[in-house]
Amino acid sequence: MDVLTLPLNPSGSLEPLAITVSLDGDRIVDARIRHGALHRGIEEMALHWNLFQVLPLAERICGFCSLSNALTFARAVETIAGIVVPPRARYLRTLFLELERISSHFLWLATACHIAGHEALMMAVLSLRERVLDMLEGLTGKRSNCGVAAFGGTRVNLDDADIKALEEMIAFYRRELPPLQEVLVEGPLLRFRLQGVGVLPKEVAVRHGVVGPVARASGLYVDLRWSSPYEAYGDFDVQPRQVSDLMGRSRGDAFDRMVLRIMELRQSLEIIETLLQGIPGGNVLAVKKDRRLAALLRDAEGRALVSVEGPRGESLQRVTLCRGKIALSSWTLRSATYVNASSWPLLLRGEELSDVALIINSTDPCIACTERLFPLRPSPVPEMAPLRLSSAEDGEAAKEVAP
Amino acid sequence: MSTLFFLLRQACRKRLTNLFPFPHMPESLIEALHVVQEGGMEMNRPLPTPPSLWGKVAYNRERCTGCGNCLERCPSGAIEPSADKKKVEIDIAFCCFCGRCVDSCPVSALAMSDEFLCSSLDRREMRLADSGPLRLSGEGDLWSLERKR
Amino acid sequence: MSWGTKIVASVALMLLAALIALIFEGADRVIQARIQRRLGPPLSQPFYDLVKLFAKESLLPSDALPWLFSGGPVFAAASALTIFLYIPIGSLPPVLAGGGDFLLALFLMFLSSFALILGALAGASPYGEIDAKKELDLIASCSVPLSVIASSLAWFAYRQGLPGAPFSLETFVAKPVWSVAGWSGIMGLIILAAAFLSLIPALADRVQRNIFGGSSRHFSGRTLLLSRLARNFRTLAFCSVFVSLFFPGSMGRFLDLRELALFSVDFLFFWVKVFLVQTVAVTWGGAFLGRFKNSRLSSFYGVAVTGVALAGLLLLFLDARL
Ligand code: SF4
Ligand code: SF4
């Protein structure tokens, strides 16, 4: 057998990954994936900052699961400090988590259409996504990275006009989603393209411990919202969606992952709808005074392991706080993609080279989240003068970049 | 078939993109903007932003007590004590628009304005020492988190 | 015609075809943008691209065969342009008429594709090689239904006694095949036309997923320009052949015009038809179909479309028998 080993550049996979495939003709016999291109040293940075600064940093790990990451962090800190989040804030967090899921799933759909070559459908999906982004912008002031999370609650509150706008948004999606679903799911084109590609059978999915939509598309009942409800999820029906309910059977291929994400879009809309009806009143912050919150956090000590079901699956964080400082003593993140990535070589094996991007994308990878889990090897740091950015004429604006 | 109808319908709908600032890129954007300023050419306006937009930070120097809360909260190190150590200065070039400083200010000397075009050719222009009294929501185009709380 | 006039007419026609190919590409991009609800580039964008690419440096990979690497695209573009010399444009006879010009046009089409693929292979890069091989595969599988369509049409024309050589495009232009077909014949012709139409997006490089940017990946500057031009010319030529075969008909005769007026009206009418075909097949077809992996496309064209074309042939056969 004549095996050709070929490194694929990011244009081959559309992700910042170093993939080396071994090819027999057009078939992939083996694939090796190396991470590390997006390592930004966020965990290290966080150890030098105070908790208030780390929260926005957690938000910026990734643009599309920004709330999940920040909320996981906030929940971990709250657990350690013993802060009880008021009910209204719990509902609001749930609401924003679902809005984030909608925006992320739409983005995934658009990418899938793009990789399948349907630029026109991609634009259609993106134009639908625009509505939820506008909603987020109206509610929080930002379209992504919208800093909703705060220790002990949320930073935003809703008024009646906002709730009405949300209801209008749901009505909009109720109207616009079915035609799109008809094209994507019932139409022959994406089926022809995606079906039978990147099959992940149930047994293998269990063995690899995949999470999130990938696991659910393989027929597993894996959903933290359902199995260990947090925030307000205990109050709603969040039964994990299964492709077999809609399509009769599930194979766990790329097509099923698309169908599942469309089903989850509708599920999120349903959750938001019920949520808006029963949203309790009251405060959105447990500790209103800044000084008191700071004192609470300064006294907190201990560690917590908290996970939240993000749009891509379980996002897990282990947080250790040290006493006497408003600071972390360790922070470990494991994103959903880190788990799902272990199945990539398996998914790629036996497939065609043209499908690499499609398969990797079908698991909705977020490399920015994934590459947070690499231990920094302690190595002697070379002596370096601090980087200075100074304006041309005077040194007045000179500034150290060090955190 | 449904796909074809979908695409046909889509082709007939209004264009999505807002062609800001010009439909097609001019030879030199700066020159074109100068022409616009002199009234020689029309420019497409940016899309309207919601009043809640988090744009550039606005800072009321007079109201600031120099407590230093915002210095502690800023994740990107954009806020620095001013030369006399009594007030602060904000370097918009470093700001990541997280709004944490606005949250932390006990006297509401900071707010997020809805101004979002904040690029400049000169780095010193990005340093904000004072933007005058803040007009809170209802009074103008500035918005503070106060309103939502 | 004397040799001198022939050469002048050929050069003029080729230049015109090149111009039209670029304008059509601009229109294609504008319509594509409309489907995506964008504004799209101006109609003249392909000309800007041409100028830009012309001014850029053409890189030569160190392991490449220089003459083949830079000669391939030149040859591809030239042979694609030559096709227009064999296509009757409106009521004008083709510049280089001959008994088998339909076959010659198809042959030139494939020659142009192969030249480009050879040029890509000469780049001596495994990536270019993979894409070139895929493209070769696709073109080979496209040639099967194409030859079925070509031979069934020629056979039908011969059998129904269309005046002229059966493999000549002029024959089909002079008297549309539709006029000599019965009901099942028309059905068969519709099927053949659909099969032909479905091949156009593949040959216009619209439905295949090129992982490494297709076989033109390693070209740059002038070679990239030529490889893109070759693709545009080929698409245009293919649409023109389709128009000549299935969509003849003269506006000028319908309006009862004579001489120069007839020729010029038909000339314009021909390009309008080509534009329609290109918009339907390439722009809308591409937007509708998306991109597929090459193995599925190869089996689609090699098996499904061939089957459809054979069904068309069967219907034509029935029609001729009855
Ligand atoms: S908005 Fe955030 S980054 Fe900008 S100055 Fe305030 S705290 Fe710093
Ligand atoms: S928190 Fe407010 S009052 Fe305190 S230094 Fe900052 S701007 Fe001034």
Side-chain angles (χ1 to χ4, degrees):
Chain A
M1 195 166 67
D2 189 16
V3 174
L4 175 71
T5 304
L6 207 63
L8 286 190
N9 54 357
S11 80
S13 66
L14 297 182
E15 293 289 346
L17 290 171
I19 306 180
T20 313
V21 288
S22 306
L23 290 172
D24 171 24
D26 210 12
R27 299 260 149 210
I28 297 169
V29 271
D30 200 8
R32 270 174 301 129
I33 298 174
R34 206 166 52 87
H35 293 266
L38 260 183
H39 188 70
R40 291 175 288 175
I42 283 186
E43 315 90 311
E44 174 69 18
M45 227 193 276
L47 299 188
H48 303 294
W49 292 11
N50 69 37
L51 288 179
F52 297 107
Q53 292 172 319
V54 176
L55 194 59
L57 181 67
E59 230 162 59
R60 278 156 181 76
I61 289 173
C62 153
F64 303 108
C65 4
S66 84
L67 180 57
S68 326
N69 284 331
L71 212 55
T72 321
F73 181 70
R75 278 170 55 77
V77 172
E78 282 155 13
T79 315
I80 299 171
I83 301 171
V84 181
V85 179
R88 184 173 175 85
R90 287 198 289 132
Y91 268 67
L92 289 187
R93 284 177 172 192
T94 314
L95 168 75
F96 282 104
L97 278 173
E98 291 306 321
L99 286 177
E100 181 185 69
R101 192 183 315 278
I102 292 175
S103 123
S104 169
H105 278 8
F106 267 129
L107 186 81
W108 180 83
L109 269 180
T111 333
C113 290
H114 168 66
I115 292 180
H118 286 278
E119 305 294 335
L121 284 185
M122 177 189 90
M123 288 299 277
V125 175
L126 283 181
S127 72
L128 287 190
R129 179 172 182 252
E130 213 49 21
R131 185 69 197 247
V132 70
L133 289 183
D134 283 348
M135 197 69 235
L136 282 173
E137 194 180 17
L139 293 180
T140 69
K142 288 186 141 195
R143 290 153 70 84
S144 64
N145 283 346
C146 27
V148 170
F151 298 124
T154 57
R155 295 178 62 216
V156 278
N157 204 346
L158 301 190
D159 50 27
D160 289 343
D162 294 335
I163 290 179
K164 208 156 151 277
L166 276 164
E167 274 161 1
E168 270 165 26
M169 183 198 79
I170 290 170
F172 170 80
Y173 281 129
R174 286 269 146 79
R175 204 168 56 238
E176 297 285 335
L177 260 183
L180 187 74
Q181 180 174 349
E182 196 179 332
V183 169
L184 295 178
V185 179
E186 272 113 67
L189 291 167
L190 281 165
R191 189 181 293 230
F192 187 58
R193 181 79 177 87
L194 299 179
Q195 226 162 35
V197 172
V199 182
L200 186 68
K202 203 171 180 174
E203 307 74 48
V204 187
V206 173
R207 213 166 58 227
H208 279 265
V210 295
V211 292
V214 183
R216 295 196 278 279
S218 292
L220 299 181
Y221 279 81
V222 177
D223 195 336
L224 286 177
R225 296 177 289 170
W226 172 70
S227 55
S228 53
Y230 49 92
E231 306 303 352
Y233 282 116
D235 302 353
F236 314 114
D237 161 41
V238 274
Q239 178 81 17
R241 290 292 190 264
Q242 291 292 314
V243 181
S244 47
D245 298 343
L246 187 75
M247 309 294 292
R249 70 198 198 106
S250 75
R251 317 164 189 229
D253 54 10
F255 184 70
D256 279 0
R257 280 171 221 141
M258 185 190 78
V259 175
L260 185 96
R261 288 202 174 91
I262 294 178
M263 291 170 79
E264 289 199 353
L265 278 178
R266 313 191 80 153
Q267 183 192 21
S268 290
L269 291 177
E270 274 163 32
I271 292 177
I272 294 178
E273 201 167 35
T274 22
L275 185 148
L276 287 180
Q277 279 153 13
I279 194 160
N283 272 333
V284 291
L285 275 177
V287 189
K288 271 197 145 178
K289 280 265 175 296
D290 243 25
R291 298 250 165 246
R292 252 203 70 212
L293 182 63
L296 264 178
L297 295 181
R298 189 172 291 120
D299 289 342
E301 185 187 15
R303 71 175 63 165
L305 191 68
V306 169
S307 53
V308 157
E309 179 83 16
R312 292 162 172 78
E314 177 185 4
S315 127
L316 181 94
Q317 290 184 15
R318 199 198 61 176
V319 173
T320 318
L321 297 189
C322 51
R323 198 183 175 84
K325 277 198 291 180
I326 315 180
L328 291 164
S329 65
S330 84
W331 189 26
T332 318
L333 302 102
R334 195 200 65 183
S335 75
T337 312
Y338 190 82
V339 191
N340 290 343
S342 72
S343 67
W344 287 345
L346 188 97
L347 289 178
L348 290 179
R349 225 163 278 159
E351 297 287 348
E352 269 181 46
L353 190 58
S354 340
D355 282 341
V356 171
L358 193 70
I359 291 171
I360 291 200
N361 183 264
S362 75
T363 64
D364 200 358
C366 175
I367 311 298
C369 294
T370 309
E371 304 194 342
R372 299 282 76 80
L373 201 66
F374 299 100
L376 293 168
R377 212 169 285 140
S379 60
V381 184
E383 281 291 319
M384 261 192 294
L387 177 63
R388 281 181 169 274
L389 295 172
S390 49
S391 58
E393 283 94 344
D394 53 7
E396 194 210 78
K399 172 171 191 70
E400 271 191 27
V401 182
Chain B
M1 262 306 113
S2 59
T3 317
L4 200 55
F5 282 131
F6 189 86
L7 293 184
L8 275 173
R9 205 186 67 167
Q10 180 165 318
C12 303
R13 283 167 86 171
K14 216 180 99 236
R15 198 179 54 224
L16 269 175
T17 39
N18 175 42
L19 307 166
F20 169 74
F22 302 107
H24 295 293
M25 196 63 183
E27 286 278 298
S28 153
L29 190 57
I30 295 179
E31 263 169 39
L33 288 176
H34 281 310
V35 175
V36 169
Q37 255 175 8
E38 284 150 18
M41 193 161 57
E42 278 287 301
M43 179 180 87
N44 285 325
R45 306 298 311 166
L47 283 178
T49 50
S52 57
L53 185 89
W54 286 5
K56 222 164 162 172
V57 178
Y59 171 55
N60 183 352
R61 195 179 181 90
E62 205 174 307
R63 207 188 281 179
C64 171
T65 58
C67 68
N69 269 4
C70 52
L71 285 171
E72 247 167 59
R73 300 300 169 88
C74 180
S76 42
I79 308 184
E80 285 185 332
S82 56
D84 57 0
K85 304 277 181 242
K86 295 224 175 78
K87 309 269 168 159
V88 294
E89 259 174 34
I90 302 161
D91 197 334
I92 305 291
F94 282 78
C95 175
C96 67
F97 305 102
C98 68
R100 254 57 180 203
C101 52
V102 180
D103 280 16
S104 70
C105 184
V107 291
S108 301
L110 291 163
M112 306 296 277
S113 71
D114 62 358
E115 191 183 338
F116 61 90
L117 296 171
C118 45
S119 54
S120 163
L121 287 175
D122 187 357
R123 190 169 264 277
R124 276 168 304 170
E125 271 175 28
M126 308 292 278
R127 277 181 88 87
L128 180 71
D130 191 8
S131 50
L134 305 183
R135 289 157 294 158
L136 291 185
S137 65
E139 298 166 35
D141 49 359
L142 290 183
W143 183 84
S144 141
L145 223 72
E146 273 325 75
R147 181 181 73 110
K148 290 261 167 181
R149 284 252 175 95
Chain C
M1 269 191 281
S2 73
W3 275 107
T5 31
K6 264 194 184 176
I7 288 173
V8 170
S10 315
V11 171
L13 186 62
M14 279 163 136
L15 281 180
L16 190 80
L19 193 72
I20 288 175
L22 285 177
I23 294 173
F24 280 12
E25 194 207 331
D28 169 44
R29 286 169 71 169
V30 170
I31 297 173
Q32 238 180 325
R34 287 299 317 159
I35 303 175
Q36 297 170 13
R37 297 177 71 186
R38 294 188 283 116
L39 176 71
L43 207 59
S44 50
Q45 187 64 38
F47 295 95
Y48 290 126
D49 287 357
L50 189 139
V51 171
K52 188 193 83 178
L53 283 177
F54 195 79
K56 288 228 165 183
E57 185 189 4
S58 317
L59 298 172
L60 189 69
S62 51
D63 288 346
L65 263 179
W67 62 270
L68 193 53
F69 185 77
S70 22
V74 178
F75 193 69
S79 53
L81 265 189
T82 319
I83 303 173
F84 288 99
L85 304 186
Y86 295 94
I87 298 174
I89 306 211
S91 311
L92 287 173
V95 180
L96 300 177
D101 51 10
F102 177 17
L103 286 186
L104 202 57
L106 292 189
F107 171 73
L108 282 171
M109 206 105 65
F110 288 122
L111 196 65
S112 150
S113 308
F114 287 139
L116 211 53
I117 290 170
L118 276 181
L121 284 173
S125 136
Y127 300 103
E129 215 167 288
I130 285 176
D131 270 347
K133 275 182 193 157
K134 281 168 178 292
E135 208 157 309
L136 203 58
D137 199 32
L138 184 67
I139 285 173
S141 58
C142 281
S143 68
V144 183
L146 208 52
S147 47
V148 172
I149 294 169
S151 40
S152 13
L153 278 176
W155 177 80
F156 191 65
Y158 172 68
R159 176 79 201 207
Q160 301 300 65
L162 286 189
F167 272 115
S168 166
L169 282 175
E170 255 184 294
T171 316
F172 293 91
V173 173
K175 193 167 182 203
V177 270
W178 306 90
S179 62
V180 290
W183 276 115
S184 76
I186 284 182
M187 288 289 290
L189 284 175
I190 289 178
I191 286 179
L192 285 182
F196 199 113
L197 216 52
S198 78
L199 288 165
I200 297 179
L203 294 169
D205 195 22
R206 252 326 144 67
V207 284
Q208 51 270 55
R209 164 132 176 79
N210 295 319
I211 5 168
F212 300 119
S215 54
S216 53
R217 172 193 165 94
H218 290 281
F219 296 132
S220 53
R222 247 158 285 166
T223 33
L224 178 63
L225 170 69
L226 281 167
S227 73
R228 279 169 55 169
L229 284 181
R231 197 192 59 201
N232 286 349
F233 296 160
R234 217 157 55 211
T235 313
L236 190 71
F238 219 73
C239 295
S240 315
V241 170
F242 179 86
V243 165
S244 307
L245 283 179
F246 293 103
F247 205 173
S250 150
M251 189 59 132
R253 296 226 174 82
F254 180 72
L255 295 176
D256 207 17
L257 296 172
R258 302 253 163 270
E259 300 285 311
L260 198 63
L262 170 80
F263 286 135
S264 44
V265 164
D266 274 0
F267 188 79
L268 279 181
F269 186 53
F270 175 81
W271 290 116
V272 169
K273 284 188 291 188
V274 173
F275 178 69
L276 277 181
V277 170
Q278 175 160 350
T279 308
V280 168
V282 179
T283 314
W284 276 94
F288 174 67
L289 289 171
R291 288 182 184 268
F292 301 97
K293 57 180 166 184
N294 283 42
S295 64
R296 288 216 174 155
L297 273 186
S298 303
S299 60
F300 175 70
Y301 285 122
V303 180
V305 177
T306 312
V308 167
L310 283 175
L313 174 62
L314 197 72
L315 282 171
L316 288 188
F317 189 66
L318 277 178
D319 188 58
R321 273 289 132 115
L322 293 177

